[in-house]
């Protein structure tokens, strides 16, 4: 079950060149897509199946703005309408392929999987990509073979950092006791909290004298389906305040932007970026952050894939709730409400929904 | 869904020696078969499961005309009747394994998967194998993980040559405009057409002066399930006539014989041969033809397997028809009629059908 | 379908060290287990899924007697009760993981998969492991991708030795004509027979003069699910008697102990041991026995996995019975009776059964 009226990340902009052969394939929310860049630089996202016999258009060829199926030569304009059927004059009106609204923003390619009329670019979440001159951001991606709801629960509850990431981001159990403020937003949750007087994360402890302590500031914007943007700062100890601005010295100012796109019920494509502000960067810092986040996401991947298998073995097993389920619960509530709203709209206008 | 009362190709005759250990396994139309050659040279096709506990007889041993199961030693004659149960005297009459009529013709082994009473060798399609002294034929085979109906549609509509085979058989879009004459036969379709004044196929263009043109003559006999025999000739330009014999000079006379055997709903075994007549052959010609057809069938394989996946994802998706669907449509009509006839016979005589 | 109230072998004791990281995972009768050894040496078997969100506890960490889930840090005592939920004071009573009774005996670890109240160590079958000082036993294991009922039928009917093991244990068809006495036991079958005046098994024929004959004595204790213990002796020819003790000279006295644990409906873990008595051992003998049994079980594996595939293709195919099905039939009867008894108990007390 996926929210259709939503922007889903289809990858980094640099993954899709203007080259003649450059076709990108993606499975997003159960749909097979092919993406290509037009000569004017804008991106087209099309269903990756010809309207004739479902041959993948991604085995086809770009011709200017258009895409030609290389099975029988049908050619489709960027609006999905067939403009040529070799061997016949008449092109029936139903000879068209579904296209999807696309927006590029902050180096991410976003695709709207629902009703094009409702595709509002203002719904795209804020993020910080490698093209931002104020931040030294490095990017990567990973496939995780787990349902995206498990990713939501993972990202909304940072208490797991202590355990899953004990060799990377961890080094303190303060995450477990963080007094986070979770605020519902229209399509997500905002979480803010400080960890006060804690050691540096394991990956960075070699940079500081033994026993050095810090205040860590977290500001998470999470939007469905599963976009996580973390403004993360390291401050000298005692800097934290509850409401106003911190009082001490900032050591690191960084942005982690992560877009988790459900491919289907059993896998996600995870696009991620992390880096420090130009002002707080130092030699090798961004490389270290990138190396660490990559290692950490493999730690998550191992846990989530194993959990996903266990969930599939016993889908109806009763499970207990703990205090850390509050934030994931909020986000899943937003998600389920949107799913329910769409289901109810579809029931009222079944023809529209099927199109 | 497979037509049972039909001859299916089980491979090339040279794949099955008379060696003591020579057992060939095949999945044909959903049945598991073991084939072996008797000392007299004739071929036996048997269900590849012992009547005792379904152990595969292909793990067994040839003993003269018979096949012994190597789990408990039951021995079966070439008619499938059990002739020995080690440890007991009595052999119950139901101790037998299903056998299938076999005919070898034109170097192909053909197996009849339906009612043995109806197995008429005259229903075996004409073909030209490597044993024919008038033709220099080379052979090969490939597994394609797609439903056999997609193969039918592919082979009956050569307009795909322009697109799928643009780097091998293609080089002209004349296939798209070919004015083929399709004639229904009892269990298939015959198609005849000329391509006039076209360049040599891409794979052979280096053999001729730039701009050289030819008339290409096609005569296709297609029989269900999916046997394709193409008499293909290359003539000097202007040779083509609509009805009578060509008037110019023949440059190449060749036969392509292809037997596509459905293994199950998701895969086929594709046995193919191509070669020129002895009269029109030249040094290296047959090797070049064989190399080219092998490359071309991998092009088809890539397209058909991808299409098969797309079809399985959206089995009920509405698709449009184009002008080139006429010939595949005719052959699928023949196939569906045979399927319907068999289903109706089975409904009238359920016991016979089950046996 | 598995008998729940039964001891299942989970492996050799030496597979589970007391190391800090030593966690053993097993799938037994459809359940996922994690096993670990406490500091006092005793073994804990726990369901391998946290009660919170089903994360595998086998990705966790041993802490003394306890096991900590490394997703959110929940800690479970050896009785499965949660003893810590980091971040919250209250531990709800339902925060617990199922544990299973464990007994180590004859170097095997045995787990009771049913009602712990009924776990009677006296039901564990006799066997001879590598720790027994009177026997020189070597051990190993193999995964077989077949249903365990096929293993029962295989082991209870040694007539298959002639055929499946013609290159290892075979060398005579006397197995086919063995006059075995099969006696029902409470949870299994006992089989005793002699093979008189037969050649040595193929694997040992090089040790004796050509034409040398022997009397072979078999005493098999088979208990469900599929534990096979064979007391196997080789005697000089003419030694065999029907009732009393043999009269000649014993050449080899050996024990083969085999525990076949169903993982699920499609696979088993096969733990096996074979070796001679200290009194009848000689240089290299135990190595040869171990090498041979390993080869032979790969012969079985090939046959059973192929048979399993055939059975799945045609689950309802009618099969004939032969004389050698008598002993397997007896054991399957015991098994089916226990399955039926458990199903009927579960129907009478559904809540207990579900727990």
């Amino acid at each position: 079950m996926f929210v259709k009226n939503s922007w889903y990340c289809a990858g980094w902009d640099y993954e899709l060149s203007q080259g003649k052969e450059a076709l990108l394939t993606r499975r997003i929310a159960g749909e097979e897509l092919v993406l290509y860049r037009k000569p004017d630089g804008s991106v087209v996202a099309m269903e990756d199946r010809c309207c004739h016999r479902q041959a993948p258009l991604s085995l086809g060829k770009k011709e200017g703005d258009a895409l030609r199926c290389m099975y029988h030569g049908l050619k489709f304009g960027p609006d999905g309408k067939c403009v040529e059927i070799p061997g016949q004059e008449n092109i029936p009106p139903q000879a068209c392929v579904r296209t999807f609204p696309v927006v590029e923003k902050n180096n991410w390619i976003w695709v709207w999987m629902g009703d094009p009329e409702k595709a509002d670019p203002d719904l795209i979440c804020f993020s910080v990509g490698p093209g931002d001159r104020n931040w030294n951001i490095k990017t990567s991606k990973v496939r995780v073979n787990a349902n995206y709801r498990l990713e939501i629960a993972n990202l909304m509850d940072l208490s797991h950092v202590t355990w899953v990431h004990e060799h990377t981001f961890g080094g303190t159990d303060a995450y477990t006791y963080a007094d986070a403020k979770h605020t519902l937003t229209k399509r997500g949750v905002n979480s803010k909290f400080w960890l006060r007087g804690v050691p540096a994360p394991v990956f960075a402890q070699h940079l500081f004298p033994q026993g050095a302590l810090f205040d860590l500031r977290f500001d998470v914007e999470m939007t469905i389906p599963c976009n996580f943007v973390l403004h993360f700062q390291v401050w000298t100890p005692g800097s934290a305040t509850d409401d106003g601005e911190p009082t001490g010295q900032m050591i690191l100012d960084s942005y982690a932007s992560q877009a988790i796109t459900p491919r289907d019920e059993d896998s996600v494509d995870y696009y991620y970026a992390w880096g420090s502000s130009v002002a707080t960067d130092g030699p090798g810092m961004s490389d270290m952050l990138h190396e660490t986040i990559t290692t950490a996401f493999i730690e998550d991947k191992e846990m989530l894939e194993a959990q996903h298998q266990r969930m599939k073995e016993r889908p109806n097993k009763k499970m207990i709730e703990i205090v850390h389920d509050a934030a994931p619960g909020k986000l899943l509530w937003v998600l389920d409400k949107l799913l329910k709203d769409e289901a109810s709209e579809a029931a009222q206008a079944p023809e529209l929904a099927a199109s």
Side-chain angles (χ1 to χ4, degrees), chain A:
Chain A
M1 296 275 290
F2 309 102
V3 174
K4 291 292 181 183
N5 287 320
S6 186
W7 293 101
Y8 287 88
C9 178
W12 296 105
D13 54 2
Y14 58 73
E15 292 183 275
L16 189 55
S17 82
Q18 266 175 325
K20 208 178 142 198
E21 311 289 340
L23 298 173
L24 200 64
T25 58
R26 290 288 185 264
R27 183 183 295 163
I28 300 184
E31 300 281 349
E32 301 292 335
L33 303 186
V34 55
L35 293 95
Y36 64 94
R37 210 177 270 287
K38 292 194 292 183
D40 70 7
S42 63
V43 174
V44 177
M46 223 176 244
E47 191 174 5
D48 189 21
R49 59 185 85 229
C50 182
C51 59
H52 172 225
R53 285 293 179 267
Q54 301 206 41
L57 298 175
S58 55
L59 295 181
K61 280 196 172 177
K62 281 170 71 173
E63 295 190 7
D65 273 7
L67 186 57
R68 188 186 291 280
C69 178
M70 284 302 282
Y71 197 165
H72 299 93
L74 277 68
K75 188 167 143 187
F76 299 92
D79 58 356
K81 283 191 188 146
C82 184
V83 294
E84 186 188 338
I85 301 179
Q88 77 184 58
E89 295 285 314
N90 175 48
I91 298 176
Q94 65 271 35
C96 62
V97 171
R98 187 177 171 193
T99 58
F100 301 83
V102 179
V103 170
E104 288 185 271
K105 193 174 155 187
N106 306 126
N107 302 104
W108 264 332
I109 301 169
W110 297 93
V111 181
W112 181 263
M113 298 303 294
D115 178 359
E117 304 264 319
K118 298 182 178 166
D120 176 3
D122 288 345
L123 291 174
I124 295 174
C125 72
F126 169 77
S127 63
V128 182
D132 194 313
R133 290 169 173 248
N134 297 313
W135 304 86
N136 290 334
I137 301 290
K138 289 184 180 289
T139 63
S140 200
K141 63 177 176 173
V142 65
R143 171 80 43 90
V144 180
N145 295 310
N147 186 275
Y148 72 108
R149 297 174 73 97
L150 302 187
E151 285 284 356
I152 288 177
N154 177 272
L155 286 166
M156 265 328 293
D157 164 24
L158 294 184
S159 83
H160 81 271
V161 169
T162 305
W163 315 104
V164 177
H165 304 305
E166 68 166 335
H167 301 302
T168 48
F169 295 148
T172 171
D173 65 353
Y175 286 96
T176 302
Y177 304 99
D179 185 22
K181 197 168 71 179
H182 305 299
T183 313
L184 274 184
T185 59
K186 199 179 162 191
R187 293 168 79 95
V189 175
N190 170 247
S191 294
K192 289 173 196 271
F193 63 96
W194 281 94
L195 300 187
R196 295 166 201 232
V198 297
V202 170
F203 77 89
Q205 285 180 359
H206 63 290
L207 301 178
F208 303 99
Q210 206 173 354
L213 298 177
F214 305 89
D215 283 6
L216 309 183
R217 188 190 206 184
F218 295 81
D219 186 347
V220 175
E221 279 292 346
M222 187 92 178
T223 46
I224 66 110
C226 199
N227 303 314
F228 172 98
V229 179
L230 165 62
H231 192 184
F232 172 71
Q233 294 175 333
V234 180
W235 290 77
T236 50
S239 296
T241 60
D242 282 338
D243 302 314
E245 279 302 294
T247 57
Q249 189 194 341
M250 185 165 64
I251 297 162
L252 177 74
D253 193 12
S254 78
Y255 260 106
S257 298
Q258 302 165 27
I260 294 92
T261 299
R263 300 177 74 248
D264 46 39
E265 299 290 349
D266 296 313
S267 62
V268 304
D269 279 331
Y270 199 133
Y271 305 96
Y272 59 89
W274 195 20
S276 64
S277 69
V278 170
T280 63
D281 204 1
M285 172 65 78
S286 294
D287 283 330
M288 184 178 70
L289 297 185
H290 183 250
E291 188 181 293
T292 303
I293 200 169
T294 294
T295 304
F297 287 172
I298 290 169
E299 292 167 344
D300 281 322
K301 175 182 165 76
E302 186 190 9
M303 182 61 80
L304 295 180
E305 293 184 347
Q307 182 194 15
H308 181 69
Q309 286 308 311
R310 288 289 182 271
M311 290 275 197
K312 291 191 79 161
E313 289 158 11
R314 298 278 189 275
N316 301 316
K317 187 178 171 68
K318 277 194 184 169
M319 296 180 290
I320 67 159
E321 300 291 313
I322 64 173
V323 63
H324 302 299
D325 297 324
K330 275 183 205 284
L331 191 63
L332 288 168
W333 182 89
V334 173
L335 175 66
D336 286 334
K337 186 170 179 315
L338 287 169
L339 285 169
K340 205 172 146 189
D341 290 352
E342 285 198 355
S344 125
E345 275 174 43
Q348 283 165 28
E351 283 169 33
L352 268 172
S355 72

